[in-house]
């Protein structure tokens, strides 16, 4: 395993930057992988975009990064979102695709969250999306590859997402159309719209 301290040191050598002063720090694809988010990450005091994707991290660490806006932690083994309160005041984008999340608990404190990428996880219940109503600025979500989409057409998926989160502007990388918004507000009847062209 690679420690966060070693990964940061290697990043500094390669980038010729001081990690403590850097706005963007990329610690993805470490060989061997990082398995734990440890306290050394909290030395990245000016970091606004931190990438820890494609490692073997199983749990959130308690990040205390006062300027962090984008956290990329996709392609790990994370089962739940916790200990996020310390970055909740600034976090705008959370990229967590390709993990093993079953629940969306833990995000309620992230009032500035605008983008949530959680494709290819283990989310089975539509009730989980209701928890994101606590994130008033959320506009862009990625859900492809979760069990909640099983046995539904793309149109049905999108309208169902909008029924739970009507303020979204983009779902799975595609801008929400007025027709989809209308179908969601009418209770989700998309039968008359099956096969209709989408922008």
């Amino acid at each position: 395993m690679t420690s966060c301290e070693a990964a940061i040191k290697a990043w500094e050598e390669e980038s010729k930057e001081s990690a403590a002063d850097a706005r963007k720090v990329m610690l993805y694809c470490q060989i061997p992988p990082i398995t734990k988010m440890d306290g050394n990450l909290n030395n990245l005091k000016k970091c606004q975009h931190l990438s820890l994707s494609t490692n073997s991290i199983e749990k959130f660490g308690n990040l205390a990064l006062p300027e962090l806006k984008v956290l990329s932690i996709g392609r790990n083994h994370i089962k739940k979102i916790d200990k996020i309160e310390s970055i909740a005041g600034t976090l705008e984008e959370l990229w967590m695709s390709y993990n093993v999340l079953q629940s969306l608990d833990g995000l309620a404190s992230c009032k500035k969250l605008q983008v949530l990428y959680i494709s290819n996880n283990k989310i089975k219940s539509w009730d989980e999306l209701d928890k994101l109503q606590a994130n008033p600025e959320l506009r862009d979500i990625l859900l492809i590859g979760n069990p909640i989409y099983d046995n539904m057409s793309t149109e049905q998926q999108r309208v169902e997402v909008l029924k739970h989160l009507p303020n979204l502007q983009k779902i799975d990388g595609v801008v929400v159309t007025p027709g989809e918004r209308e179908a969601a507000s009418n209770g989700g009847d998309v039968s008359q719209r099956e096969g209709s062209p989408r922008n």
Side-chain angles (χ1 to χ4, degrees):
M1 61 174 268
T2 298
S3 68
C4 291
E5 181 181 20
I8 290 168
K9 196 170 288 185
W11 180 86
E12 286 183 320
E13 289 172 5
E14 189 176 328
S15 67
K16 306 290 189 286
E17 282 188 74
S18 161
D21 296 324
R23 298 279 186 205
K24 189 172 184 178
V25 180
M26 304 280 105
L27 305 178
Y28 57 84
C29 291
Q30 297 295 307
I31 302 174
I34 296 169
T35 58
K36 186 179 178 186
M37 294 167 68
D38 63 40
N40 286 288
L41 293 173
N42 292 331
N43 296 327
L44 309 175
K45 291 297 182 192
K46 296 190 177 173
C47 185
Q48 295 183 355
H49 183 162
L50 174 62
S51 176
L52 293 162
S53 59
T54 317
N55 281 291
S56 293
I57 298 165
E58 294 186 5
K59 291 182 180 177
F60 257 84
N62 207 344
L63 289 177
L65 300 175
E67 298 185 29
L68 191 67
K69 293 181 178 179
V70 181
L71 177 59
S72 173
I73 196 162
R75 297 184 187 276
N76 278 283
H77 306 298
I78 296 172
K79 297 182 178 71
K80 64 178 182 175
I81 301 165
D82 59 1
K83 298 181 180 174
I84 202 168
E85 290 75 17
S86 52
I87 55 172
T90 57
L91 193 67
E92 296 176 2
E93 301 190 19
L94 180 59
W95 305 353
M96 286 195 70
S97 295
Y98 293 94
N99 276 284
V100 285
L101 293 175
Q102 295 186 21
S103 164
L104 296 177
D105 288 336
L107 287 171
S109 59
C110 299
K111 299 302 182 189
K112 293 188 176 180
L113 190 68
Q114 298 171 23
V115 174
L116 180 62
Y117 293 160
I118 46 172
S119 70
N120 297 283
N121 274 280
K122 306 289 183 187
I123 297 163
K124 298 175 184 172
S125 170
W126 287 100
D127 293 343
E128 295 301 320
L129 293 196
D130 293 333
K131 296 171 183 176
L132 300 177
Q133 291 170 5
N135 306 101
E137 295 190 24
L138 186 65
R139 296 293 178 266
D140 183 356
I141 197 167
L142 204 57
L143 283 164
I144 291 170
N146 280 284
I148 52 170
Y149 273 3
D150 289 354
N151 304 313
M152 297 176 81
S153 69
T154 301
E155 186 78 358
Q156 288 170 327
Q157 293 164 2
R158 294 174 62 79
V159 170
E160 189 65 30
V161 172
L162 282 173
K163 282 163 64 178
H164 294 268
L165 298 168
N167 294 329
L168 290 176
Q169 293 173 359
K170 192 183 278 189
I171 300 170
D172 298 330
V174 179
V175 174
V176 172
T177 67
E180 289 168 338
R181 213 175 281 288
E182 184 183 353
S185 67
N186 289 339
D189 182 12
V190 297
S191 56
Q192 74 277 15
R193 301 191 66 253
E194 282 301 322
S196 60
R198 283 184 27 229
N199 295 338

